[in-house]
């Protein structure tokens, strides 16, 4: 790597406000806000809207869409689509 052309890479705390979860990692992202971490050091903190602690896919609260039911409901409402050829 060429010196002087890359952003600083250091420890940063990412905090998910919705879940009350925070984790310390390394990143090139920076912030004016700081937080004192469990180890007693102060790190820049970046607040995020969603993380693995609050995302429905990771928490197991994701809904599965019933696509077959949706197609049948569409066909009941608008017909079988005789004007449109169905894929085989």
């Amino acid at each position: 790597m060429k010196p002087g052309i890359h952003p600083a890479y250091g420890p940063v705390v990412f905090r998910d406000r919705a879940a009350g979860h925070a984790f310390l990692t390394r990143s090139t992202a920076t912030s004016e806000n700081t937080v004192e971490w469990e180890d007693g050091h102060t790190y820049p903190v970046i607040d995020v809207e969603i993380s693995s602690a609050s995302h429905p896919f990771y928490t197991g609260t994701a809904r599965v869409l019933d696509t077959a039911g949706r197609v049948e409901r569409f066909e009941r409402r608008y017909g079988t689509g005789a004007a449109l050829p169905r894929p085989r």
Side-chain angles (χ1 to χ4, degrees):
M1 290 191 337
K2 284 186 173 180
I5 65 168
H6 297 283
Y9 183 71
V12 178
V13 174
F14 286 91
R15 180 171 51 192
D16 182 354
R17 292 281 198 168
H21 177 72
F23 55 94
L24 177 65
T25 187
R26 295 179 58 86
S27 176
T28 58
T30 60
S31 174
E32 298 290 327
N33 302 329
T34 59
V35 66
E36 186 172 335
W37 192 244
E38 301 160 352
D39 61 3
H41 292 89
T42 302
Y43 299 106
V45 63
I46 297 175
D47 291 323
V48 294
E49 304 247 345
I50 197 161
S51 71
S52 61
S54 62
H55 193 281
F57 178 78
Y58 295 105
T59 60
T61 58
R63 295 184 301 166
V64 177
L65 294 177
D66 179 19
T67 55
R70 296 179 86 179
V71 170
E72 291 167 0
R73 188 174 357 140
F74 178 84
E75 288 178 350
R76 277 196 313 267
R77 186 177 295 164
Y78 300 108
T80 59
L84 300 173
R86 289 188 69 141
R88 296 179 186 208

